[in-house]
Amino acid sequence: MVQSKTWVLARHFEGFPEDSNFQLKLEQLPEPKDGEVLLEALFLSVDPYMRPFSRLRMKEGGVMIGTQVAKVIQSNNSTFPIGCHVVGRCGWRTHTVSDGTGLTRLLSDWPQEVPMSLALGAIGMPGLTALYGLEEVLGLQAGDTLLVNAAAGAVGSAVGQIAKIKGCRVVGSTGSDAKVAFLKELGFDEAFNYKTVSSLEEALKTASPDGYHCFFENVGGPFSSVAIPQMKEFGRIALCGGISTYNDTTPQTGPYPQLTMIFKQLKMEGFLVGRWEHKNQEALRRLMAWKREGKLQCREHVTEGFENMPAAFMGMLQGDNIGKAIVKV
């Protein structure tokens, strides 16, 4: 029998997560049955969605939700032979017995020089989120001016680069001078540190005096209240996240955007990446092609050690990472 380390949600988060919200446990796994495989985690993802989803999808005592890149080390399932690598929603655990449900093999021609951890980042869910948000929700067109916040994160950095590939002007907001420099390296036309500008409104106007055709929203809260009035008439907003509100114990209130949206005839649409799952294989190949052509840079913020999962998660929520935050087992 194999022993798995797991991180469980000891108690639901109230405000910003704390060490006491998590508990490390050991779990004895049974031998894989017919049709099952035994997985060994190599890389695990920490993502903003885990914070609100934990309240909606989890009970106290359950294994923390999340995705990992894993290696098949035992197999009674011909679809997943020993030695192949998969992406799976296995949660925060080092080993998993799975019947194959929800497992996706890495692209069959995954290049040897490309780290497999990118299947959790730009060549995975965050990259797909960026691509679908731009193409399916915003209908991004060459010549559009795009605003993206949390722009140095896993999704935001992919959003900006893909928008540049598509011939757009890109403005990014981020939370440190080092992140601003990173965005400039990626080819963003304008980037600013929202924490140090004297006025967010003036920073947005200076970056694009004529306003914005598209806004890829990852932050919510007061940033959104300031950004929406800067949209052009018939502007489009893709509502991907609201990380500024995830740890609130009291819901934030107003200003409210309805009149601005009516008078400017704006369109805002929330979305989840799974809506376009049927397009994933083709989309992943496009992302991989851009990576290999040097058009899509993929920065990672790597934390070593499964025991540091909670620290990596909390660090990501407070913006410690540039690019995709992952944990290497």
Side-chain angles (χ1 to χ4, degrees), residues 177-190:
D177 292 344
K179 292 179 179 180
V180 169
F182 171 60
L183 297 184
K184 290 293 190 178
E185 290 176 19
L186 296 183
F188 280 57
D189 297 281
E190 300 286 344

Side-chain angles (χ1 to χ4, degrees), residues 1-176:
M1 295 179 68
V2 172
Q3 193 174 65
S4 176
K5 297 178 182 178
T6 65
W7 279 105
V8 303
L9 181 67
R11 60 181 178 84
H12 277 295
F13 306 118
E14 296 292 341
F16 195 85
E18 301 175 349
D19 287 335
S20 58
N21 290 118
F22 308 94
Q23 184 178 1
L24 183 62
K25 289 189 172 183
L26 295 177
E27 180 181 356
Q28 298 291 334
L29 299 181
E31 287 293 316
K33 300 175 184 176
D34 186 43
E36 293 183 335
V37 296
L38 175 63
L39 307 174
E40 182 175 70
L42 303 178
F43 302 97
L44 294 101
S45 182
V46 288
D47 299 283
Y49 79 83
M50 296 173 177
R51 174 62 179 85
F53 270 57
S54 66
R55 175 68 69 173
L56 296 171
R57 303 284 178 87
M58 293 190 62
K59 296 180 179 179
E60 292 181 349
V63 176
M64 276 294 298
I65 56 175
T67 305
Q68 60 179 246
V69 172
K71 183 177 181 179
V72 177
I73 58 174
Q74 291 185 40
S75 178
N76 294 317
N77 186 324
S78 60
T79 304
F80 304 103
I82 291 175
C84 76
H85 294 89
V86 299
V87 176
R89 294 187 289 271
C90 303
W92 292 14
R93 54 172 75 241
T94 59
H95 296 81
T96 306
V97 172
S98 169
D99 64 1
T101 302
L103 299 184
T104 304
R105 289 187 65 168
L106 264 63
L107 294 174
S108 58
D109 53 353
W110 190 280
Q112 190 170 357
E113 72 274 12
V114 176
M116 286 187 290
S117 54
L118 294 189
L120 300 175
I123 320 297
M125 182 274 288
L128 293 171
T129 301
L131 186 63
Y132 296 148
L134 291 172
E135 293 186 346
E136 304 290 343
V137 180
L138 291 176
L140 195 70
Q141 302 294 319
D144 282 348
T145 297
L146 169 79
L147 171 65
V148 56
N149 50 18
V155 173
S157 58
V159 166
Q161 292 182 85
I162 295 170
K164 291 303 297 179
I165 292 170
K166 292 179 173 291
C168 298
R169 186 170 183 274
V170 179
V171 176
S173 169
T174 191
S176 75

